[in-house]
Amino acid sequence: MKVAVLGSTGLIGKNVLKLLVRLDQVVRVYCPVRKMPGDDAPDLASMGILEGSSKLNFEVVDFHTLRAEGEGHKKVLAGFLGCDAVVCCLGTTKKQAGSKAEQERVDTRLPLMLAAIAKKAGVKHFLCVSAMGADSHSPFFYNRLKGMLEEGLTMMNFESLTLVRPSLLLGQHNDKRLGEELLQKFFGGERTMLVPSFFRPVAAGTVAAHLVTSILKPPVDHINVTDGVKGKRIIYNRVLAKTKIEQLF
């Protein structure tokens, strides 16, 4: 099995890699990145990856050249060829992006462009980290972005589509996110179980575990109850919050 991971150096992406490299079924993991996680070679130890590194193929890609005939498009298309699944863990914040327009590019337009290339490459299963409350008609900008992303992915008619909608993520981000850090401190530890499951913070490792188990068991025959689309599965935060990772494997 060959898998591609987008956003492989981020909080969820790193956890996905750590699980994938340990699976005998997975022989290759393609990781297109904006810049190499290290100076000349990937610093896998800093990512928590201590085994299975020979399966990983990191490639620096200019994501601003993803349109047809662009250099980025050619690289990603070649990397996606032969992949059984593509996992998208891309995402940012308005502060990190610098503007709403740039956040929209990273959270919505970029994943959709990469999904289109995956479809062109013959990938059958696309998996994507969305967000709790994703809704293209939401009064909240971030939720609208994720809602538009979900709608766009659904219209591409992948044989299988897995969408994961976590609430606040527990874990150490690469960038400083003061608001999230404060919420993690307040809701973390023993207080976590006091929060209703639909909103309860979840560990990035739990999200990654659901993505990987969905790769192994794609929702080919599953019918999504909200829109009747066959092959589409939405994993809600209430499910993530009640999950014990050891139960998935």
Side-chain angles (χ1 to χ4, degrees):
M1 177 180 287
K2 180 181 175 183
V3 180
V5 180
L6 308 170
S8 57
T9 61
L11 179 58
I12 296 175
K14 288 187 291 189
N15 281 278
V16 170
L17 291 190
K18 284 190 282 188
L19 292 172
L20 288 177
V21 296
R22 294 166 57 187
L23 294 175
D24 293 335
Q25 302 97 313
V26 177
V27 298
R28 199 72 174 153
V29 183
Y30 173 60
C31 306
V33 292
R34 182 173 56 86
K35 62 180 181 179
M36 195 64 70
D39 295 327
D40 300 317
D43 183 3
L44 299 179
S46 68
M47 296 171 66
I49 300 171
L50 305 177
E51 58 179 293
S53 59
S54 61
K55 296 181 180 182
L56 300 175
N57 175 26
F58 285 90
E59 181 176 45
V60 176
V61 172
D62 181 358
F63 290 108
H64 289 89
T65 60
L66 289 179
R67 298 196 180 279
E69 304 307 319
E71 191 61 32
H73 183 281
K74 294 176 182 177
K75 280 187 175 183
V76 173
L77 179 61
F80 283 170
L81 289 174
C83 282
D84 298 278
V86 172
V87 184
C88 181
C89 306
L90 294 171
T92 188
T93 62
K94 181 184 174 184
K95 180 179 179 180
Q96 186 181 17
S99 66
K100 283 188 173 182
E102 182 62 13
Q103 186 179 11
E104 180 184 9
R105 186 187 74 83
V106 174
D107 276 82
T108 304
R109 287 187 284 129
L110 181 56
L112 289 176
M113 291 180 72
L114 289 162
I117 297 174
K119 183 74 174 179
K120 183 178 178 180
V123 175
K124 294 184 177 180
H125 189 187
F126 197 88
L127 305 93
C128 189
V129 179
S130 180
M132 183 188 73
D135 183 349
S136 61
H137 301 290
S138 172
F140 303 105
F141 179 68
Y142 181 69
N143 289 351
R144 286 203 305 276
L145 293 184
K146 294 301 185 182
M148 290 188 288
L149 172 60
E150 289 192 8
E151 288 181 2
L153 292 174
T154 300
M155 288 190 289
M156 289 186 188
N157 294 315
F158 283 95
E159 184 176 302
S160 297
L161 175 63
T162 297
L163 301 170
V164 186
R165 293 182 177 179
S167 175
L168 176 69
L169 290 171
L170 299 175
Q172 185 63 49
H173 289 278
N174 294 331
D175 57 303
K176 295 291 289 183
R177 301 184 180 187
L178 181 59
E180 288 191 18
E181 289 178 5
L182 291 174
L183 287 172
Q184 285 195 41
K185 288 180 180 178
F186 183 80
F187 287 122
E190 296 179 356
R191 293 193 187 96
T192 300
M193 298 308 296
L194 300 177
V195 183
S197 60
F198 75 91
F199 184 70
R200 187 181 305 159
V202 294
T206 301
V207 177
H210 272 279
L211 288 167
V212 172
T213 53
S214 194
I215 290 173
L216 299 176
K217 296 181 180 179
V220 178
D221 297 319
H222 181 80
I223 297 177
N224 183 43
V225 296
T226 57
D227 56 16
V229 174
K230 184 179 180 181
K232 177 181 177 181
R233 176 193 291 137
I234 299 177
I235 302 174
Y236 295 93
N237 194 77
R238 61 179 179 271
V239 175
L240 299 170
K242 296 178 180 179
T243 295
K244 294 183 179 180
I245 295 179
E246 59 271 18
Q247 296 174 339
L248 297 176
F249 295 94

